[in-house]
Amino acid sequence: MPHPPRHFPDPTNPRLTRAVAGHDHTGQLQHIRVVEERPLTIFLNAQEIVTAMTIGDYPEYLAMGFLRNQGMLRDDDEITAVDYDDDLEVVIVRTTRQTSYEEKVKKKTRTSGCAVGTVFGDMMEGLEGLTLPPAEIRTSWLYALAKEINTLPSLYLEAGAIHGTVLCQQGEILVYMEDVGRHNAVDKISGWMLKHGVSGADKILYTTGRLTSEMVIKTAQMGIPVLASRSGFTAWGVEIAQQVGLTLIGRMRGQRFICLSGEGRLIRDADVAAVPDEDRKHRRKGGAA
């Protein structure tokens, strides 16, 4: 089976940013690039599910991942087509199973995430009886990944106001997605995994954003045992991580990090003294947290 295609940010894509003129604190004219936002309406078969604000790349992955993480796509569902209309800004995921989620769609709960992320009220039910795999996580992988992620060309470094989420295997980056909401970035990765049949059992999910309850829930539902971030935690995020046995690592900057759940997976094989502190020019990478 061929290796699935990997995806990395493309800050040169003219569709994702727009040039805007303004004046700085001295009154000088400045031209900067700002991130685009576009509505994307997601359908599951004939039913409209949600309209999300997104930068507009990888709409098919976003739709599939969103539906999967909301429990609307089952593991045994056969997806017959994913149709995207750029003019209408609509994506339709079609399955052989007849679906109807009218009651579920009514039970939306607004979350604390940016870009008005939404989580449906019964998402917690999907965590009952969930057991994450007993994978290991080496600190040498964490340090290597953090360094590479911080220095990769990205839309954040080009225009800011955006979050990044990265799927990793040991010390290797598989997929790096960005969006105005970290929820969208995670859903794109989930869609990529679903499309290409990639298991989360031996993976690490890294995000530039906060480790909230929704981020923990989505990671667990994707079967990924480790979630790491440059940013901090919410109490409910930590509580759910402990409940499902997810390894939760935050405040990763230079030599430092803190693990608040799933410590048993950590193997401290790196010489911390040999790990350089974070370069000042890369510290802004956490500014979107």
Side-chain angles (χ1 to χ4, degrees), residues 7-287:
H7 292 285
F8 295 87
D10 181 11
T12 65
N13 185 343
R15 176 181 166 83
L16 304 183
T17 61
R18 182 191 308 175
V20 176
H23 294 83
D24 66 14
H25 59 289
T26 68
Q28 293 295 311
L29 179 66
Q30 300 286 343
H31 291 84
I32 67 169
R33 301 205 67 82
V34 297
V35 173
E36 289 278 12
E37 283 186 277
R38 294 181 172 84
L40 178 69
T41 301
I42 298 171
F43 280 76
L44 178 57
N45 296 312
Q47 183 182 9
E48 179 178 338
I49 302 297
V50 73
T51 296
M53 296 305 297
T54 173
I55 61 175
D57 64 342
Y58 306 116
E60 295 90 347
Y61 287 151
L62 175 56
M64 292 171 64
F66 176 85
L67 294 171
R68 179 194 188 193
N69 285 340
Q70 302 298 336
M72 296 181 181
L73 278 180
R74 301 173 183 169
D75 290 340
D76 59 352
D77 272 333
E78 180 183 348
I79 298 174
T80 58
V82 182
D83 300 321
Y84 172 60
D85 189 309
D86 188 34
D87 293 330
L88 296 178
E89 297 178 315
V90 167
V91 60
I92 304 173
V93 178
R94 306 182 190 276
T95 64
T96 54
R97 176 175 63 94
Q98 292 186 348
T99 56
S100 178
Y101 290 104
E102 289 184 15
E103 290 303 314
K104 184 163 185 162
V105 170
K106 290 177 183 178
K107 295 194 293 183
K108 289 183 183 178
T109 302
R110 182 170 294 184
T111 69
S112 59
C114 60
V116 195
T118 57
V119 57
F120 290 90
D122 57 356
M123 272 186 72
M124 288 291 291
E125 294 178 7
L127 300 183
E128 294 176 1
L130 177 68
T131 302
L132 291 172
E136 67 176 33
I137 172 68
R138 295 180 177 272
T139 56
S140 58
W141 300 343
L142 288 175
Y143 289 131
L145 288 169
K147 180 179 179 181
E148 185 175 1
I149 291 167
N150 286 346
T151 54
L152 275 175
S154 68
L155 198 58
Y156 178 80
L157 292 176
E158 174 72 17
I162 201 165
H163 282 285
T165 301
V166 189
L167 183 69
C168 312
Q169 185 174 29
Q170 297 185 2
E172 182 181 8
I173 295 174
L174 302 181
V175 182
Y176 186 161
M177 294 291 189
E178 293 182 296
D179 214 301
V180 288
R182 61 185 175 276
H183 317 90
N184 289 347
V186 174
D187 286 340
K188 288 177 188 176
I189 287 179
S190 179
W192 179 89
M193 293 172 67
L194 180 61
K195 171 74 173 178
H196 300 291
V198 175
S199 168
D202 58 347
K203 306 300 188 296
I204 303 164
L205 196 67
Y206 178 99
T207 176
T208 59
R210 298 180 300 276
L211 297 171
T212 64
S213 57
E214 186 176 8
M215 289 296 292
V216 169
I217 291 170
K218 284 179 181 287
T219 304
Q221 289 175 330
M222 291 158 67
I224 299 174
V226 181
L227 175 60
S229 174
R230 293 178 51 81
S231 192
F233 313 80
T234 67
W236 198 18
V238 174
E239 182 179 332
I240 296 172
Q242 293 172 344
Q243 173 186 326
V244 300
L246 177 78
T247 297
L248 195 63
I249 298 168
R251 300 180 182 176
M252 283 186 58
R253 310 239 175 162
Q255 304 167 340
R256 300 175 297 279
F257 67 80
I258 185 165
C259 179
L260 295 186
S261 174
E263 162 77 18
R265 288 193 184 89
L266 272 179
I267 297 175
R268 289 180 167 80
D269 64 331
D271 179 4
V272 177
V275 178
D277 204 2
E278 191 173 81
D279 223 351
R280 180 175 295 276
K281 68 179 180 180
H282 297 132
R283 291 179 188 172
R284 59 179 178 158
K285 195 72 172 177

